[in-house]
Amino acid sequence: MSRRAVLRTAGLTGLGLGLGTSACGRGFGGGDDAEGGTVALNMVWWGDAKRAEKTQAALEIFQRKNPGVTVRTEYQDSGPYKDKLATRFAAGNAPDVMAMRMDSLREYADRGALLDLGQHADALDLTGLSENARALATVGDRTYGVPAGLNAIGFVVNRTLTEKYNVAVPDGNTWNWPDLARFAREVTRASGGRVYGTNFEAYTLANIIVFTRQRGEDFYTADGGLGVSEATVADWFGIVESMRAEGGFPPAGFIEKIGASAEQSYLAKGSIASQIIPTNNLLAFNAAAGGNLALLRIPGETQSVRRGQSVDCPHLWSIAAASKHRAEALRLLDFLVNDVEASKATGTTRGVPANSTVAEEIKPTLSRDDQAATEYLGGLQRERLPRSYTYPPGSSKIAATLESIAAEVEFKRQTPQQAAKAFVEAGRKALGR
């Protein structure tokens, strides 16, 4: 049966069919025991060749420290990863250890496909993680994953451009959304329209989630519902539309999808002076943009109803409930989370180490930009932030809806109010409530 056929006939509803059976080592990795009586763990994840190189370096250390355990890995681009993982579970061939998307965790957990790590505190020590970090993989009172690294979103400003056009960089600890609009307008005017003051994706969930929290709402609620109001979504689109009308934000159609890398960004091209980025990408963006970026908080953090920022992660590490090598898989996760050598090998390719002590220990070995990102994350974890709730099943549909509706607003086919009404209706339908 083809992969698509498996998905079509079984889908995630077939996850339960695979429980209780062992990995057979076919296709997307392999989990058979290695020759000579050693245990072979099957570990799958997504990423690029650089991430693969660093991951392999850490795994070699693990294997050296754990004779008798080998780790067979396979990685690929993020796009097809979700379907391939679903196919593995539906076919009863779940990997032992896997990268888990934030918007998939709850769906797998609800179906009993993942190991409750909270029941294995004797093997997996999570005491070095902050409450915010541990909560990322918690569903109810159970823990189904470990952050592979921590990041957040931050606002970067290209100081080379602001110095060139003599525009002051706002105070990142006190600025609000009107301050951003004013800054963006000044940059565009001072540059004669050659540079737009700011740009960020109105359709990215991470961005609107922060704005929603600042309004005193939760985008996703504790029970897996949609908590954002129409008024907040309308104001989110309205802020962008106002900045676009004033010239501080690029006109409709100016920003095209030119690729996800820092090198391909408009920030690197010098077309815009500021944008939102994931903090674990600061090193890449700063290098691509000329090395003079300032990292600020998201506007409105000190002047809104409450804090909006959260500690997030690029992905989680989870263990299949059906893994026949549970003890070795737990040992591997404990190594990735708590071993300083492991984090030195992986660096910040998946963000700042989730264990705060480990993060501090490896900080002197990091580049200046990675040290800045580590300090930013460390500071956030010491602050009182709202709880970040696990994405409920249906979140991927909500992300797609937000992107399509944002385009309707950008090209004035819908007003912010119309778009907000359509988005909330579609979001509730996607979540089935």
Side-chain angles (χ1 to χ4, degrees), residues 171-182:
D171 183 341
N173 290 319
T174 60
W175 71 332
N176 57 20
W177 293 96
D179 292 332
L180 169 63
R182 185 165 46 253

Side-chain angles (χ1 to χ4, degrees), residues 199 201 203 251 253-259 264-266 410:
N199 177 70
E201 297 160 346
Y203 59 79
F254 179 85
I255 301 293
E256 298 177 347
K257 289 188 175 179
I258 54 175
Q264 295 169 313
S265 69
Y266 284 90
E410 178 177 352

Side-chain angles (χ1 to χ4, degrees), residues 284-320:
F285 273 96
N286 203 17
N292 198 20
L293 296 184
L295 176 61
L296 313 181
R297 296 172 185 266
I298 300 298
E301 283 295 283
T302 56
Q303 300 180 24
S304 300
V305 174
R306 67 172 180 177
R307 298 292 306 276
Q309 291 211 258
S310 61
V311 175
D312 298 306
C313 65
H315 72 76
L316 304 155
W317 290 122
S318 294
I319 296 175

Side-chain angles (χ1 to χ4, degrees), residues 305-356:
V305 174
R306 67 172 180 177
R307 298 292 306 276
Q309 291 211 258
S310 61
V311 175
D312 298 306
C313 65
H315 72 76
L316 304 155
W317 290 122
S318 294
I319 296 175
S323 171
K324 65 179 181 181
H325 302 308
R326 179 176 296 180
E328 292 81 5
L330 287 164
R331 200 184 310 163
L332 174 57
L333 287 200
D334 189 75
F335 168 81
L336 292 173
V337 171
N338 299 313
D339 191 283
V340 173
E341 276 193 86
S343 289
K344 283 183 178 177
T346 56
T348 57
T349 182
R350 289 185 172 88
V352 174
N355 183 318
S356 301

Side-chain angles (χ1 to χ4, degrees), residues 113-160:
L114 302 179
L115 186 67
D116 177 8
L117 303 180
Q119 298 298 313
H120 301 278
D122 55 334
L124 175 59
D125 183 5
L126 299 180
T127 57
L129 277 64
S130 68
E131 183 177 347
N132 288 321
R134 288 196 300 272
L136 290 170
T138 300
V139 179
D141 59 354
R142 299 185 175 186
T143 301
Y144 293 104
V146 180
L150 299 178
N151 68 1
I153 59 171
F155 218 102
V156 288
V157 176
N158 189 330
R159 288 179 295 205
T160 299

